[in-house]
Amino acid sequence: MAMYCRTDWCRHLMAVSMALFCLLHNTMDAHARPANMSALKDKNNPTSKEENEILPPDHLNGVKLEMDGHINKGFHQEVFLGKEMEEFEEDSEPRRNRKKLIEIFSKVDFNKDKSVSAKEMQHWIMEKTEEHFQEAVRENKMSFHAVDPDGDGHVTWDEYRVKFLASKGFNEKEMADKIKNSEELKVDEETQEVLESLKDRWFQADNPPSDQLLNEEEFLSFLHPEHSKGMLKYMVKEIVRDLDQDGDKKLTLSEFISLPMGTVENQQAQDIDDDWVRERKKEFEEVIDRNHDGIVTMEELEEYMDPMNEYNALNEAKQMIAVADENQNHNLELEEILKYSEYFTGSKLMDYARNVHEEF
C-alpha cells in the first residue's frame, strides 16, 4: 500500500510508473492524481470490500496532501462540491451538470447579489468540509461494527489485528488462536510492515489515559486523522519523516520537490517530472511556507493540512476565485464559474456562455 512506503523515492517511483502505464493506455492524463494502491484493490482483490472497511484510507477528502505526501489533485472539487462530488462524473450529461452548477452558485451566493465574494466562498468551503467529516463519521460506524462484533464498544489491538489479517486472506480462527497463544504469525514481509505501521498509528489514536483499547471516537481518529488534532500532528510527522532527507524535522524546497533517482526514458516521463516539480514548488513557496523563509516547519505543515482551519479556507477561497476572475473584480460571477467548470467540478461544460440566465 502507498501509505506504508517508508521513503519518498519508493512512493514517487511507484506513482510515476503507474502514471506512465496509464498514459500509454489512454486512461488518464498527466494532471490526474497519481493512482494509489487502494484504488487498485477493488479490481484485483476479492477481499477488498472487507479490507477497505477497516483500513485507514490512502486518500482523505478535503485534505491538501495525500497520506503519502503527494498533493491532492482533487482538492478544489472536494471542498467546492462536498457530498455532491459523485454527481459530476466525466460521462454525465453536460446540460444537467450546467444546471446543477448554477444551483450550487445560487447557494454559495448567500446575499443573492449575483456574485460570490471570498467570504461567501470561505463559508461554503467550511460547509463542504464538514460534509466530508460527517460522511467519515457515518462510514466509521460501519467500520467500527466490523471490528467490534461483540458490540462491547471497545476494540483491542489484537482484535483488530485478527480482522485485518482475515481481510488479507488469512484464516481468521487460525490467526486468532496464534495471537491468543503468542505464537509466530508467519506472514509475508509486506504484511508485517503494514502491521507495524498500523500498530504505531493505533496506539497514537488511543487517547490518554492509554488503555490499549479504541472506542468508536478513537477508531474514527485512527481511520481519519485529519479531524483529530493529536492525530493530525501524527500524520504531519509521518509525512515529514518520509520527505526529510537531513533529519532536522523540517522541509526545504529541495526536499519537498525531490524526485526519484534514475534517467527519464521518454518525453512523457519528463513531462510528468516537470509537472511534479513545478506544482510542488508553487505550493511550497506560495501556500505552505507561511513566513516565506524557505523552510516548512511541522507547525506550518499542520496548519496547511488542517481541513477546519478558517484561514486556510479563506486563502483557498481567494485562490479559487482568482483562477476564474476574468474581470478582476475579486468576485466570482456565474458566467465565470461556468466557463471554468472543469476546475471547480472536474467536469467540462459545453457552450458555457449560452444565455446562462435561461437556466434559472
Side-chain angles (χ1 to χ4, degrees), residues 27-144:
T27 57
M28 66 176 283
D29 57 45
H31 302 289
R33 184 172 64 243
N36 56 38
M37 296 304 291
S38 64
L40 300 177
K41 282 187 269 187
D42 287 336
K43 296 178 181 178
N44 300 325
N45 188 348
T47 64
S48 63
K49 183 178 185 298
E50 182 183 357
E51 191 173 345
N52 286 336
E53 281 181 351
I54 65 172
L55 271 178
D58 291 308
H59 173 71
L60 302 169
N61 285 332
V63 178
K64 284 195 166 186
L65 289 184
E66 305 285 12
M67 293 294 293
D68 60 6
H70 284 69
I71 291 175
N72 176 6
K73 298 287 190 176
F75 179 77
H76 305 304
Q77 291 88 29
E78 292 166 4
V79 297
F80 183 73
L81 296 176
K83 63 184 180 182
E84 296 173 298
M85 285 177 57
E86 293 181 1
E87 296 189 25
F88 287 86
E89 299 293 341
E90 289 185 9
D91 58 351
S92 53
E93 208 276 318
R95 186 176 180 85
R96 186 194 67 80
N97 284 353
R98 182 170 63 247
K99 185 175 181 180
K100 185 66 180 175
L101 186 52
I102 291 171
E103 291 174 0
I104 292 174
F105 179 89
S106 67
K107 293 176 183 178
V108 185
D109 179 20
F110 295 109
N111 63 8
K112 306 304 177 187
D113 65 351
K114 300 188 185 304
S115 69
V116 170
S117 67
K119 279 290 186 183
E120 286 175 319
M121 185 67 85
Q122 176 197 29
H123 182 71
W124 181 258
I125 288 172
M126 295 298 289
E127 278 193 6
K128 298 298 106 178
T129 302
E130 178 64 21
E131 284 182 6
H132 288 304
F133 178 58
Q134 293 305 324
E135 179 63 24
V137 170
R138 287 191 291 272
E139 291 176 355
N140 183 67
K141 286 186 178 296
M142 294 184 290
S143 299
F144 188 75

